[in-house]
Amino acid sequence: MSDDLLATARSIIERARPREEVEAFLLHQREFSVKTFAGEIDSLSSAEPRGAGVRVITEGRVGFAYSTQLGDADLDALVELARANASSATADEAVALPTEGGGSEQLDELIDPAQEQVTPDDKATFALKLERLTREADPRVRNVEEAVYSDSDSTIAIASSNGIEGSYRRTDAWCYSIAIATEGDDTEVGFEFDLARGMAGLSAPDVARKGAERACRVLGASKIASARMPIVFDPYTAAQFLGVLGHALTGESVQKGRSLFAGKLDGSVAAAGLSLVDDGRARGAPGASPWDAEGVATRRTQVISDGVLTSLLYDTISARRDGRQSTGSATRAGFKSAPGPAPSNLAFEPTGRSRDEVIAQAGRALLVQDFHGVHSGANPVSGDFSVGVTGTLIEDGTAGAPVKEVTIALPMLEILGNIEAVADDRRWLPFGGSFGGATTLVSEMTVGGA
Amino acid sequence: MLDRDTIGKVLAEALRKGGDLAEIYVEDRSSSAYRLEDGRVEDVAAGRDRGAGIRVISGDRASFAYTNLLEEAALLRAAEAARAGLEGASAPPPADLTEVEAGPRHPAKVDPTSVPAADKVAGLQAADEAARSAGAEVRQVIAGYADVRQRLLVARSDGAFAEDDRTRVRFSVQVVAARNGTITTGFEAPGHSGGYELLEARPPAEIAARAAEKALRMLDAKPSPAGEFPVVLAPGTGGVLIHEACGHGLEADTLVKDASVYAGRKGERFGGETITIVDDGTVPSSWGSFSVDDEGTPAQETVLFENGVLVGHMSDLRSARKIGDAPTGNGRRQSYAHVPAVRMSNTNLLPGPDDPNEMIRSVKRGVYASQFAGGEVNPATGNFVFGMSEAYMIEDGEITYPIRGANLIGNGPKMLGVIDAIGHDFMFWEGVCGKDGQHAPVTTGMATVLLGTITVGGTEA
């Protein structure tokens, strides 16, 4: 599969004219998904999508086009369309393809070799078991909205007229279940999931138990009075917070003045002792790859170091604009979009305490397990952060009354300044990227309640 | 797009091991998008995507496969993949195909592909100039133009056959303004089902000027108070609340799973006599409209709440089968690569008798919600949160100053109970709705509305 794909990529770049840079990105996937409801298979889905995305650069103008049809005439039309698009773009000397690729590099851990032996029946059995275990995890779970197992086997190939060339394969598997728990008049929902390179790496019992716990823990929740108080993010909400920050940490968003970090490079942006790292090769993380979406080798980038913003995340064009090197941070949403910079696997470095120690340190605090309305309430441009939350009150290190229908708010730079501890319980969560969430203590935020 | 002979063979193959219904959805989509930022046209993208999705429904189970190869052999392979897991005897042969009576079409008057690229670029530049000339504090302008033409065909083994040809155009402007470390944004993004004529009715410079005005006004904003207040919702944008808090819970796939706060409550009163909410996929040229849905059911108007009482729901083929009634034309999918789900189209709270200015005058201390940045609801509980990107304090019946960081938090069914007044100044608002990892263009419509009391989240305790 990878040889064919690379051959197609090569044949696309052979269509380059003199003084043109051409890049071809190809993706070929096999996908499978099974969803269960009420102890039965609700739906099965399988597919084998593939396609190509092409960038053509002429005299500093870049155009992009994609196609799912890869015959000779289709490829001629594809390159021609990208070329025509380039002629509408504004010339910009920063616009160029990378000249140094990491195409020959491989990451061995991206494939679970056992996954090829897993049959569709095995996968359906897994999903049915996940649903059953979720329902049985707690008597208050009255329904499981759905249990899902999905996987994909992807081959990615790239070639450019600058000599970049490579292909790699990865396998991914993930599962989730949604528990609906009821007690008295109150209903709560608990979503939990797991991801790995193959089905063998997924734990249905853990997902079932944690999902039921997430729903049952907040049954009977009520508002608390408005106050300023310490907030503890659990790994879920900590990862979602990183997801918002991630948008603002790219060179492109800062250069264009649409980041809360604009003008802050080399300045203090977070509490002393706090460090934030983006690691394109983090082992087992969903965003790991040998090279990025334009073929540049991935690496580890220290974004915040002891509270100071030390680097942004760059693709080739944004790096050239700042006179820097790409950090291997180009990403794409499949072959239908041109690359742009984004975090790969972004996480705070742990500050040396366990989850229990961090919770004990918090005193009387609100432990937040779910954010509501993040995409409207958190603004990576202005830094405003005001979201609805569900969680539990913690007092003297133990979890107490469940809380809902309250909001927490504070500008994001102040939240970063108030982070006192990051526990060692990191897990990778795919919230519009790959973010490492760990139990995180913020010394004070505004709670809006009754 | 595909001859009837091939369609017949594919449907027959899909039913070779049993099944109640087989369906093929064929799509040919061309899109183009232009984006300006920093005064430069940076992203110009276009593409063509063709493929077919094949589905077999057997009892409560559906299986699905898709391919982007449209040759007969590839389609037959996809049909075989789509019947995975079925082991029964062959189902009866597919019925003869008969074209369904589609709802109104929403044709493009000016085909976007006939408009020179230079005109689209000029539109972006006009937006950039208009936004930047609105005030020295404008720091960044991001303008986008996008068009998509989607030709599709749906054929089912029960004989239903439908075709649709949809063109949608949208123009968006985001403006960033800054003063003394305070950064604000303003956003406007009108769109419609139709062609390039959108930009005659809504000139880019005007769209940009509105977005800039919002960003500049919000520079004077003070932190929002937190607590329980009366809230006046501006016309148009406030419909997002109806979409999230009432609409999602009335999508029948959620109802049949008993995962909706509205399940089993038909006939119950949720609010006053003036509250009537409909989902209407036939609104002429509206962004959320279509002539047939993505399963071949004609678009229609469905009444959800009538005079405050829950009377209806929205369904697709599968959920309608489970409930035992006819689908309402709300089976939509993002593309041939996606399984249909129950989705809204144009969801509207119909206008009422009240005077918008009088509503503001009646508020002693409260919030005027001028624009929402988006929201989120949990259909099982009805709990929602909405962020306001533009909002103002109301004091002693007057709008006094802008506030930032405000959001609304509450519960859908309860919210209908606190609608105290509905104005006559009905407007539409276009958006993109996400569900099950799929995006769908949707419209909401609403006049000015007064909520008697609701929780506002903000930074001032």
Side-chain angles (χ1 to χ4, degrees):
Chain A
M1 194 153 87
S2 67
D3 289 349
D4 290 357
L5 220 52
L6 194 54
T8 307
R10 284 192 192 115
S11 89
I12 290 172
I13 63 165
E14 278 164 13
R15 289 166 162 84
R17 292 178 183 163
R19 290 183 303 283
E20 248 181 16
E21 291 179 85
V22 176
E23 172 200 72
F25 175 91
L26 280 94
L27 177 67
H28 187 165
Q29 278 181 312
R30 272 197 293 267
E31 304 169 337
F32 181 86
S33 182
V34 52
K35 184 192 284 190
T36 75
F37 175 69
E40 303 281 347
I41 294 169
D42 178 83
S43 59
L44 286 166
S45 163
S46 63
E48 197 166 338
R50 45 148 222 188
V54 170
R55 283 197 288 176
V56 172
I57 300 177
T58 321
E59 293 166 349
R61 301 167 193 268
V62 59
F64 176 80
Y66 68 85
S67 178
T68 53
Q69 311 299 312
L70 304 179
D72 261 349
D74 299 311
L75 296 184
D76 285 343
L78 174 62
V79 173
E80 206 43 58
L81 188 53
R83 190 173 279 140
N85 285 340
S87 69
S88 292
T90 309
D92 179 348
E93 61 184 22
V95 168
L97 296 179
T99 49
E100 255 177 81
S104 59
E105 303 194 28
Q106 294 287 340
L107 284 186
D108 295 339
E109 64 103 7
L110 295 180
I111 296 168
D112 175 357
Q115 185 63 12
E116 274 186 50
Q117 314 306 322
V118 182
T119 67
D121 274 353
D122 297 338
K123 298 171 186 179
T125 304
F126 182 97
L128 287 165
K129 178 177 152 198
L130 173 59
E131 191 202 333
R132 179 173 55 77
L133 292 175
T134 305
R135 188 176 291 103
E136 290 171 1
D138 192 296
R140 292 168 291 179
V141 174
R142 70 161 164 87
N143 192 4
V144 178
E145 188 174 332
E146 59 194 39
V148 170
Y149 167 89
S150 297
D151 61 29
S152 65
D153 184 333
S154 318
T155 303
I156 295 120
I158 196 164
S160 87
S161 56
N162 286 355
I164 284 176
E165 194 174 285
S167 73
Y168 71 92
R169 185 180 152 224
R170 60 180 305 143
T171 58
D172 294 278
W174 59 101
C175 68
Y176 67 83
S177 71
I178 304 174
I180 300 184
T182 299
E183 192 170 51
D185 285 345
D186 196 22
T187 293
E188 297 294 341
V189 176
F191 174 85
E192 183 59 68
F193 76 96
D194 197 5
L195 54 87
R197 304 296 186 226
M199 197 176 89
L202 303 176
S203 170
D206 281 2
V207 172
R209 179 177 49 79
K210 288 187 200 160
E213 275 173 15
R214 288 180 76 82
C216 295
R217 196 186 292 137
V218 290
L219 280 168
S222 55
K223 283 183 198 183
I224 54 171
S226 300
R228 291 182 75 87
M229 64 191 294
I231 300 293
V232 178
F233 295 153
D234 83 350
Y236 251 74
T237 48
Q240 279 179 283
F241 177 69
L242 282 172
V244 179
L245 277 190
H247 286 290
L249 284 167
T250 66
E252 186 184 10
S253 61
V254 167
Q255 286 157 3
K256 292 174 175 169
R258 51 175 160 86
S259 165
L260 66 113
F261 296 106
K264 301 256 187 312
L265 192 60
D266 299 322
S268 173
V269 295
L274 191 70
S275 292
L276 181 66
V277 169
D278 186 63
D279 184 355
R281 300 184 173 192
R283 205 170 170 79
S289 64
W291 31 268
D292 72 2
E294 50 183 7
V296 175
T298 51
R299 66 205 69 187
R300 185 184 155 89
T301 304
Q302 187 92 24
V303 179
I304 295 174
S305 194
D306 197 13
V308 175
L309 183 64
T310 44
S311 178
L312 299 167
L313 300 172
Y314 294 100
D315 64 356
T316 297
I317 293 175
S318 59
R320 284 169 58 95
R321 214 160 256 154
D322 272 6
R324 291 183 173 235
Q325 294 292 310
S326 167
T327 56
S329 301
T331 60
R332 311 189 189 229
F335 62 87
K336 292 184 198 170
S337 71
S344 54
N345 303 290
L346 187 69
F348 288 118
E349 293 284 274
T351 56
R353 284 167 188 262
S354 69
R355 173 181 168 90
D356 287 348
E357 286 168 337
V358 169
I359 287 174
Q361 183 187 347
R364 183 178 184 275
L366 181 60
L367 173 62
V368 176
Q369 73 170 36
D370 284 307
F371 288 152
H372 308 290
V374 177
H375 66 282
S376 58
N379 186 329
V381 180
S382 66
D384 289 340
F385 188 88
S386 170
V387 301
V389 301
T390 305
T392 45
L393 209 52
I394 44 178
E395 284 176 276
D396 304 326
T398 53
V403 176
K404 70 174 176 187
E405 280 189 48
V406 301
T407 59
I408 58 169
L410 199 69
M412 279 189 266
L413 283 172
E414 292 179 42
I415 296 175
L416 285 173
N418 285 357
I419 291 180
E420 288 193 341
V422 178
D424 56 10
D425 57 345
R426 176 195 295 170
R427 59 182 289 205
W428 294 105
L429 293 138
F431 292 140
S434 165
F435 300 96
T439 304
T440 300
L441 170 60
V442 183
S443 60
E444 191 178 79
M445 290 183 72
T446 302
V447 174
Chain B
M1 296 176 75
L2 204 61
D3 65 81
R4 293 195 178 205
D5 183 45
T6 307
I7 292 170
K9 285 184 198 164
V10 171
L11 292 177
E13 177 62 31
L15 291 173
R16 207 152 65 83
K17 297 283 181 186
D20 305 325
L21 185 73
E23 168 201 70
I24 180 168
Y25 173 91
V26 187
E27 181 185 11
D28 186 347
R29 176 194 295 255
S30 304
S31 61
S32 81
Y34 294 69
R35 188 164 170 282
L36 173 144
E37 184 169 7
D38 247 2
R40 295 188 295 260
V41 179
E42 292 193 328
D43 296 329
V44 187
R48 184 161 179 202
D49 193 354
R50 273 177 290 176
I54 295 166
R55 186 166 60 144
V56 181
I57 298 175
S58 175
D60 284 344
R61 174 194 292 209
S63 50
F64 174 79
Y66 71 86
T67 174
N68 42 33
L69 302 175
L70 293 181
E71 297 88 58
E72 186 175 302
L75 292 169
L76 290 172
R77 276 200 304 278
E80 194 184 330
R83 60 172 160 75
L86 292 178
E87 302 285 346
S90 182
D96 287 341
L97 295 173
T98 311
E99 188 140 353
V100 303
E101 205 169 302
R105 309 268 173 190
H106 309 278
K109 294 189 182 76
V110 180
D111 177 1
T113 60
S114 73
V115 178
D119 288 13
K120 295 170 185 169
V121 169
L124 296 177
Q125 284 162 342
D128 188 55
E129 278 162 32
R132 289 183 191 275
S133 64
E137 288 148 328
V138 169
R139 291 296 152 80
Q140 187 57 274
V141 181
I142 304 164
Y145 163 85
D147 62 56
V148 57
R149 181 171 182 195
Q150 184 194 19
R151 275 164 287 195
L152 62 98
L153 171 162
V154 191
R156 304 196 308 248
S157 59
D158 61 3
F161 178 87
E163 287 179 290
D164 204 356
D165 185 347
R166 306 171 186 157
T167 301
R168 287 193 174 91
V169 171
R170 198 173 196 205
F171 196 94
S172 63
V173 181
Q174 187 185 5
V175 174
V176 180
R179 180 200 297 155
N180 301 332
T182 297
I183 300 172
T184 59
T185 58
F187 182 69
E188 278 281 302
H192 79 161
S193 288
Y196 199 75
E197 67 275 11
L198 173 76
L199 301 189
E200 288 159 23
R202 302 293 306 270
E206 233 170 68
I207 298 167
R210 274 169 171 261
E213 191 183 300
K214 286 178 188 182
L216 293 169
R217 272 201 214 138
M218 292 306 286
L219 283 173
D220 296 316
K222 298 174 188 170
S224 165
E228 294 187 346
F229 298 100
V231 171
V232 177
L233 305 172
T237 173
V240 176
L241 263 80
I242 299 297
H243 170 99
E244 295 284 346
C246 305
H248 278 300
L250 290 171
E251 292 169 339
D253 48 356
T254 315
L255 290 169
V256 297
K257 284 182 172 179
D258 194 17
S260 165
V261 68
Y262 296 106
R265 298 176 74 176
K266 215 161 267 184
E268 193 175 321
R269 171 168 295 281
F270 286 87
E273 286 286 336
T274 53
I275 297 173
T276 294
I277 299 173
V278 303
D279 184 82
D280 184 358
T282 71
V283 178
S285 299
S286 179
W287 174 245
S289 295
F290 39 84
S291 112
V292 287
D293 76 1
D294 298 323
E295 301 178 313
T297 307
Q300 66 175 58
E301 181 185 21
T302 305
V303 182
L304 304 174
F305 291 89
E306 188 164 26
N307 303 328
V309 176
L310 178 61
V311 296
H313 61 257
M314 295 161 281
S315 62
D316 62 355
L317 286 174
R318 283 188 78 195
S319 57
R321 274 164 59 94
K322 283 191 189 175
I323 290 171
D325 62 5
T328 61
N330 290 89
R332 303 182 68 186
R333 50 180 134 200
Q334 186 173 315
S335 78
Y336 66 87
H338 295 84
V339 183
V342 186
R343 306 300 297 266
M344 283 171 261
S345 58
N346 308 290
T347 311
N348 307 322
L349 171 64
L350 299 187
D354 301 308
D355 175 7
N357 294 320
E358 194 49 49
M359 290 182 217
I360 295 166
R361 275 197 291 275
S362 75
V363 174
K364 181 127 184 61
R365 183 161 189 266
V367 169
Y368 184 80
S370 196
Q371 188 175 334
F372 288 94
E376 187 181 296
V377 68
N378 187 328
T381 61
N383 292 331
F384 64 73
V385 178
F386 296 93
M388 291 175 234
S389 53
E390 185 187 7
Y392 301 85
M393 280 308 286
I394 306 174
E395 294 168 314
D396 296 323
E398 304 262 342
I399 290 177
T400 47
Y401 59 89
I403 54 175
R404 64 188 311 193
N407 54 30
L408 278 190
I409 178 160
N411 179 273
K414 288 184 200 159
M415 182 194 74
L416 291 174
V418 298
I419 292 182
D420 285 354
I422 303 175
H424 42 66
D425 52 344
F426 184 88
M427 282 173 67
F428 287 115
W429 180 256
E430 295 87 24
V432 175
C433 170
K435 175 180 170 181
D436 294 348
Q438 297 190 40
H439 295 284
V442 295
T443 300
T444 62
M446 199 175 92
T448 300
V449 160
L450 170 63
L451 301 176
T453 177
I454 189 160
T455 303
V456 174
T459 43
E460 292 294 286

